[in-house]
Amino acid sequence: MPMTPEQQAEIDALRSNPQPTLRAVAEGMEKHLYTAYDVLDHGFIRVIDYMGDDAAICQAARVSYGKGTKSVQNDEGLIRYLMRHWHSTPFEMCEIKLHVKLPVFVARQWIRHRTANVNEYSARYSILDREFYIPQAEQLAAQSVINNQGRGEALTGEEAARVLEYLKGDAARCYDHYEEMISQDDQQGLARELARMNLPANIYTQWYWKVDLHNLFHFLRLRADAHAQYEIRVYAEEICKVVADWVPAAYGAFEDYRMGGATLSSKAIDCVRRMLKGEEVTQETSGMSKGEWREFEGIIG
Ligand SMILES: Cc1cc2nc3c(=O)[nH]c(=O)nc-3n(C[C@H](O)[C@H](O)[C@H](O)COP(=O)(O)OP(=O)(O)OC[C@H]3O[C@@H](n4cnc5c(N)ncnc54)[C@H](O)[C@@H]3O)c2cc1C
């Protein structure tokens, strides 16, 4: 169950009580406020609050000139210029606060992004719900033989059934023991802060995560990338949809220069120049390692 009835009631109450404001409002973001988007089998993201819009980025960039916002056309050009030249601080003027429900092993990857503010559900004070991430059949993949950090073909038949059985059975057994250990019936229950160590990493946790747009783009570039683990990538992809509506010009520049763009080393640029002059450049004559050359070929197609 992604949302509890209490959480849904809280959202409904907030939605039924709109507040007039003098603050900048991003039209595209208003529809996302408080709306929970399901991710994985029990997870979600929802926007709790936000500050700023595309205009706020331009306003900050132009502050030294004392000019207000200009036409959308100019704003878009300025935002693209800022993104292209890694002029990052104006993007920090926008912030977003998300409520995220995610498996603990995904949270471990997510928390490595240190430039955010986090408040997590406390398993010292509260009892974790019996909710575990169990992958869909197509995500139940074998270890990749070419990439130590990747997946190969999906498991099938008996192999897939056995793995699913382990995942479900082990999670259920661990949770049964967790519940038994914290049981208050005989007043001898183990402290929640200790009992939780018996829970597997696919149990769900929740947190509030606040981050500015510059650091959010950094997170999205790494985690919405095809090389990121599927289970964190689906969260990043859901956030991308929200950001595209919140700051369309900034998101467009991000897609163009960061997600769709590439960085070339001086050796790679030299190879491109030689190729343009008609020279047949190979890995051996490129000066690049095999890995670099493979990535370079991936970029230039
Ligand atoms: C595909 C992939 C595989 C990964 N594999 C591993 C792995 O095997 N093992 C592992 O441990 N991690 C791994 N990571 C995590 C990775 O190394 C980073 O910790 C994570 O992506 C967060 O990036 P960040 O530090 O740039 O982000 P943030 O913490 O948000 O920092 C953003 C930027 O702020 C600056 N900054 C923040 N804090 C400091 C600081 N204290 N000092 C100096 N500069 C700072 C840096 O410029 C940094 O790039 C992996 C990440 C990805 C995307």
Side-chain angles (χ1 to χ4, degrees):
M1 179 174 57
M3 300 285 286
T4 63
E6 293 77 24
Q7 285 171 334
Q8 192 57 53
E10 184 195 326
I11 291 169
D12 294 344
L14 287 163
R15 280 204 160 277
S16 64
N17 185 28
Q19 307 277 334
T21 179
L22 295 179
R23 290 169 49 193
V25 169
E27 286 303 329
M29 187 60 138
E30 291 293 294
K31 68 174 182 229
H32 294 301
L33 259 183
Y34 313 127
T35 307
Y37 297 104
D38 294 351
V39 187
L40 300 180
D41 49 359
H42 300 289
F44 62 76
I45 63 139
R46 66 173 172 134
V47 181
I48 297 295
D49 206 354
Y50 71 97
M51 181 173 81
D53 55 6
D54 278 331
I57 299 166
C58 299
Q59 209 171 29
R62 292 195 181 110
V63 70
S64 49
Y65 305 107
K67 294 175 185 165
T69 54
K70 290 186 175 177
S71 70
V72 170
Q73 186 91 32
N74 282 341
D75 278 4
E76 198 169 336
L78 174 58
I79 285 173
R80 288 181 62 79
Y81 174 88
L82 296 171
M83 185 70 76
R84 201 161 61 243
H85 293 274
W86 299 89
H87 189 354
S88 55
T89 45
F91 295 98
E92 294 171 18
M93 298 299 161
C94 295
E95 295 211 334
I96 187 169
K97 183 161 63 179
L98 296 168
H99 180 186
V100 188
K101 184 172 172 191
L102 68 178
V104 165
F105 72 94
V106 175
R108 282 193 62 178
Q109 293 190 338
W110 196 309
I111 202 72
R112 298 301 306 281
H113 296 265
R114 298 157 289 177
T115 42
N117 307 101
V118 186
N119 260 114
E120 187 175 2
Y121 182 92
S122 172
R124 289 185 75 191
Y125 293 101
S126 309
I127 298 170
L128 286 161
D129 290 331
R130 186 190 278 271
E131 284 179 323
F132 303 94
Y133 168 61
I134 304 295
Q136 298 276 326
E138 64 270 22
Q139 294 305 329
L140 217 54
Q143 171 63 45
S144 165
V145 286
I146 50 167
N147 177 4
N148 285 337
Q149 281 198 334
R151 300 180 187 185
E153 294 292 308
L155 300 177
T156 52
E158 275 181 27
E159 185 73 354
R162 186 171 56 88
V163 170
L164 267 182
E165 173 92 16
Y166 284 167
L167 288 173
K168 288 180 184 168
D170 289 357
R173 200 161 31 254
C174 286
Y175 196 89
D176 286 347
H177 288 159
Y178 169 72
E179 265 190 328
E180 200 182 309
M181 285 191 281
I182 58 177
S183 165
Q184 299 294 308
D185 294 348
D186 57 1
Q187 302 295 312
Q188 295 293 314
L190 183 67
R192 290 191 277 271
E193 66 178 17
L194 287 172
R196 63 177 167 175
M197 69 181 154
N198 201 44
L199 294 168
N202 63 342
I203 196 162
Y204 276 82
T205 184
Q206 301 187 33
W207 59 34
Y208 272 30
W209 192 69
K210 182 170 77 68
V211 66
D212 66 57
L213 185 59
H214 165 62
N215 286 297
L216 178 60
F217 279 150
H218 182 62
F219 171 86
L220 294 176
R221 186 170 68 84
L222 295 171
R223 303 303 183 176
D225 184 86
H227 297 98
Q229 179 170 345
Y230 167 81
E231 282 76 15
I232 193 165
R233 196 170 70 235
V234 285
Y235 283 89
E237 286 169 351
E238 208 56 49
I239 297 172
C240 280
K241 291 183 209 161
V242 170
V243 179
D245 288 340
W246 170 31
V247 281
Y251 187 78
F254 165 72
E255 269 198 315
D256 195 12
Y257 295 119
R258 299 287 184 272
M259 291 303 280
T263 305
L264 293 183
S265 68
S266 58
K267 281 188 186 126
I269 292 171
D270 180 53
C271 286
V272 171
R273 287 187 178 136
R274 285 160 58 193
M275 287 166 163
L276 286 172
K277 282 183 189 158
E279 184 181 336
E280 195 176 321
V281 185
T282 63
Q283 186 260 313
E284 289 75 16
T285 61
S286 68
M288 291 188 237
S289 68
K290 283 184 180 156
E292 275 180 290
W293 180 255
R294 210 170 30 246
E295 287 163 21
F296 173 67
E297 281 189 312
I299 291 170
I300 62 166

